[in-house]
Amino acid sequence: MMLAQSFQALRTRLPSIEWIISEDGIVGVVPARELRDVAATLRAWDWRLGTIVASESGGLLTLRYCFYSTRHPGWLQAVTPIDPVERTLPSITPVAIAADWFEREIEDLFSVRFAQHPRLGDFVLHDNQWAENVGLMRSTVQASDEIAEERRDWRPRRVLEEEGAFVMPVGPIYSGEAESALFLLETVGEDVVRAVPRLFYKYRAIEKLAEGCKAEDVLLLAERTAGTSAIGNGLAYCRAVERAIGVEPPRRAHWLRGFCAELERIRHHATSVREICASTSLTVAASQALWIEERLLRVAGELCGHRYLFGVLAIGGLRGDLDDRDVRSAAATVRSLYGKIAAMRAALENTSSFLDRIERVGIVDERAVREFELVGPFARAGGVAADMRVVQPYEPYPNVAFDVPIEREGDGYARLRVLFGEIEQSLRILETLAQNLPSGPVRAEPQMRRGAALGWTEAPRGASIQWVELDERGAVVRYRTTPPSFRNWHGFHVATEGFAFQDFPIVLATLDLSVAENDR
């Protein structure tokens, strides 16, 4: 079904709503009473919930539900006004589970209630630290305001009540480089029966900080959503601004952006492999992966001036051009490193003690992947491609041949195989782009104006979806970032529950979830 067919089907299925087709896809103003029906219809047609954008301006509050099709390019935006006094909407979580965390976040930050939501509160703003109804993202709160903390007692909600049941807290403070997160693991013995992550200890309010800033300056925030995914998240933001103001980057800029994105993906996946090896105490393998990771960081640093590729992107293209010979040399170096990556994969797949720790452990099957609408390698290990480079293609990927590795088992070993498979495919893309670089400029000068649009990419951990609204001066009125880790933490408990305590750190490593990217 193409977008035009979906449009006609919607008009037939939901005739009371006036749908239109715009540059941003299908858009309709949906009354609150029909919201759940719209969500259920789209889910039945295999549309995915990309993000929910809450906006408040001039006393008017609206929610924009953004869905994308997995069968053809195109988005659908259902815009729902909210009564400013009651500030209540029906929850769509009962028909679209992926909306669960979005609604909890909006309830905390915009003080909107969602009727029939199974659980609200104690999410972004922890109940033991923040007063109720602070509404940090409301228009009445400024980023410079001092918000008084309200210390209160807090105890985790328990589900298991049988004799001998207890909660094992893990975190929120760790040694080393691990970030702050509390895991509440309920059990009656050896296995985890219920797992609840408590995140947002390092909530940075990036979306609030962006308000009123120049669009160019907010790119710095977008790149730092997660230090390991500067291109993935930064490019999604650039694309949102460029679509909002109607500027098209030059073809050479698209090619070089794609090159940097795949270089970042290869290095990111090498880091993930290293962390999986370390979680199983394979010290030698972890050291080998660390050496490869360091070599890839040097390639990025020598090519672009920053090991983590900060400062490469600009609205309208790139900050500066890259030399063709340097780009091809970087691709050749990565090719030379791939031999060591392939050798490591072969060694790991012939190490039975390693496979025993990740095979048939931490399973997230296709049903759960579809139910929670998980993204990235996490989803592809469970049989769902969900690759934005393919389902919602953007430059330069329609011009490059590559495969999307998919596994079916959904366990830690499947996730490892997807990582190795994607490294191979990213190298294939890298070499194609390096050998076919177009000539010409790398930046189209942006002319700022009022506008709003979505931008998206396939970041290393999965779909990064961003929304930006600009005023006539090009200042950001509303910035909404939905990084892949926010989507995938929602499915964390599925991989953990039913498995032994000693498997917990290994399962966590194979899931490749970023706390910083989630907490943003």
Side-chain angles (χ1 to χ4, degrees):
M1 186 184 291
M2 302 302 289
L3 188 64
Q5 293 173 302
S6 294
F7 175 67
Q8 292 301 330
L10 271 171
R11 296 181 69 179
T12 303
R13 173 68 180 79
L14 303 162
S16 62
I17 299 170
E18 184 177 353
W19 300 102
I20 61 170
I21 292 186
S22 72
E23 292 182 356
D24 261 348
I26 302 171
V27 181
V29 177
V30 178
R33 63 179 181 278
E34 299 196 55
L35 193 54
R36 191 174 292 178
D37 197 12
V38 169
T41 299
L42 293 172
R43 289 297 297 135
W45 292 350
D46 208 18
W47 285 63
R48 290 186 138 215
L49 178 63
T51 188
I52 303 177
V53 184
S55 302
E56 189 172 28
S57 178
L60 298 176
L61 177 61
T62 59
L63 259 58
R64 184 179 300 267
Y65 296 78
C66 303
F67 293 85
Y68 63 92
S69 171
T70 58
R71 299 178 181 176
H72 59 73
W75 289 75
L76 182 144
Q77 299 180 25
V79 182
T80 300
I82 303 176
D83 186 301
V85 177
E86 294 186 357
R87 303 182 76 84
T88 300
L89 274 181
S91 168
I92 66 168
T93 297
V95 297
I97 291 177
D100 175 14
W101 278 27
F102 287 103
E103 293 181 343
R104 292 183 68 184
E105 185 180 38
I106 293 168
E107 193 259 353
D108 255 5
L109 300 181
F110 284 88
S111 303
V112 174
R113 299 287 299 176
F114 290 92
Q116 295 184 303
H117 189 286
R119 182 190 180 189
L120 294 171
D122 193 44
F123 191 56
V124 178
L125 308 180
H126 293 172
D127 284 355
N128 58 326
Q129 188 173 7
W130 298 88
E132 288 294 324
N133 298 317
V134 172
L136 283 183
M137 284 298 297
R138 294 188 63 177
S139 58
T140 53
V141 178
Q142 304 304 312
S144 57
D145 290 350
E146 290 189 14
I147 309 295
E149 294 186 0
E150 187 175 293
R151 298 285 179 179
R152 291 174 292 173
D153 289 337
W154 172 84
R155 291 181 179 278
R157 192 173 72 163
R158 298 275 304 272
V159 171
L160 294 182
E161 295 180 348
E162 59 186 289
E163 187 177 356
F166 64 94
V167 178
M168 173 75 77
V170 180
I173 300 171
Y174 308 89
S175 61
E177 62 187 22
E179 297 176 290
S180 300
L182 174 63
F183 302 101
L184 300 164
L185 310 178
E186 280 193 82
T187 184
V188 291
E190 295 291 327
D191 295 339
V192 175
V193 177
R194 179 172 177 269
V196 178
R198 195 170 193 243
L199 305 169
F200 296 104
Y201 283 89
K202 298 169 75 173
Y203 174 57
R204 290 172 284 162
I206 282 177
E207 294 178 5
K208 193 67 180 180
L209 294 174
E211 292 180 0
C213 295
K214 294 180 180 177
E216 298 93 330
D217 295 340
V218 174
L219 176 55
L220 183 143
L221 294 173
E223 288 179 332
R224 285 154 180 78
T225 303
T228 56
S229 303
I231 297 293
N233 290 312
L235 182 54
Y237 171 76
C238 286
R239 296 191 68 244
V241 175
E242 288 157 4
R243 296 181 79 239
I245 62 176
V247 64
E248 178 64 26
R251 194 160 180 257
R252 180 175 174 82
H254 285 309
W255 254 243
L256 289 173
R257 282 175 165 187
F259 187 91
C260 292
E262 298 312 313
L263 183 59
E264 179 178 77
R265 195 182 318 279
I266 293 170
R267 189 261 304 148
H268 173 275
H269 285 8
T271 305
S272 300
V273 171
R274 188 249 300 168
E275 291 175 349
I276 293 171
C277 293
S279 74
T280 57
S281 301
L282 283 186
T283 308
V284 173
S287 298
Q288 291 172 334
L290 181 61
W291 184 88
I292 293 168
E293 179 187 351
E294 174 60 26
R295 294 295 302 168
L296 291 166
L297 285 168
R298 292 184 186 185
V299 169
E302 291 166 2
L303 179 66
C304 301
H306 196 287
R307 287 157 59 88
Y308 287 91
L309 300 170
F310 288 173
V312 173
L313 301 170
I315 307 299
L318 300 177
R319 283 182 182 271
D321 202 355
L322 303 179
D323 186 272
D324 285 17
R325 290 169 297 181
D326 292 342
V327 173
R328 294 189 186 107
S329 174
T333 303
V334 178
R335 166 58 68 183
S336 69
L337 291 171
Y338 182 71
K340 297 186 180 302
I341 295 171
M344 174 185 293
R345 176 176 185 172
L348 290 174
E349 292 183 339
N350 283 287
T351 303
S352 58
S353 61
F354 172 70
L355 296 181
D356 287 345
R357 305 302 303 276
I358 62 173
E359 207 168 9
R360 293 186 291 278
V361 174
I363 296 172
V364 182
D365 62 18
E366 183 173 342
R367 180 198 59 77
V369 170
R370 293 192 182 281
E371 189 172 32
F372 286 89
E373 300 184 41
L374 305 176
V375 297
F378 191 167
R380 291 190 274 278
V384 179
D387 189 321
M388 299 299 277
R389 296 173 296 179
V390 176
V391 297
Q392 297 296 326
Y394 55 95
E395 294 290 345
Y397 297 104
N399 304 287
V400 182
F402 67 99
D403 299 319
V404 178
I406 298 178
E407 303 290 344
R408 301 290 176 188
E409 295 85 349
D411 59 4
Y413 185 31
R415 290 190 280 275
L416 181 72
R417 296 201 303 276
V418 168
L419 291 175
F420 278 121
E422 291 195 357
I423 288 175
E424 182 179 0
Q425 293 303 315
S426 289
L427 176 57
R428 183 179 169 192
I429 298 171
L430 207 67
E431 292 178 325
T432 302
L433 294 174
Q435 294 302 321
N436 297 279
L437 279 177
S439 59
V442 294
R443 189 177 187 193
E445 194 60 36
Q447 299 296 319
M448 290 299 171
R449 60 176 173 83
R450 182 184 296 276
L454 280 167
W456 60 90
T457 59
E458 181 67 19
R461 293 186 176 90
S464 176
I465 299 169
Q466 314 217 2
W467 165 269
V468 68
E469 182 180 353
L470 306 174
D471 67 13
E472 63 279 0
R473 298 173 296 112
V476 172
V477 176
R478 176 77 173 101
Y479 171 48
R480 169 65 171 155
T481 174
T482 307
S485 289
F486 180 74
R487 307 299 304 267
N488 285 343
W489 271 111
H490 193 207
F492 151 83
H493 69 284
V494 180
T496 310
E497 292 171 353
F499 296 95
F501 271 108
Q502 63 265 28
D503 293 328
F504 174 73
I506 299 173
V507 172
L508 197 56
T510 65
L511 296 177
D512 184 31
L513 301 167
S514 167
V515 174
E517 193 174 66
N518 176 82
D519 289 4
R520 67 208 188 284

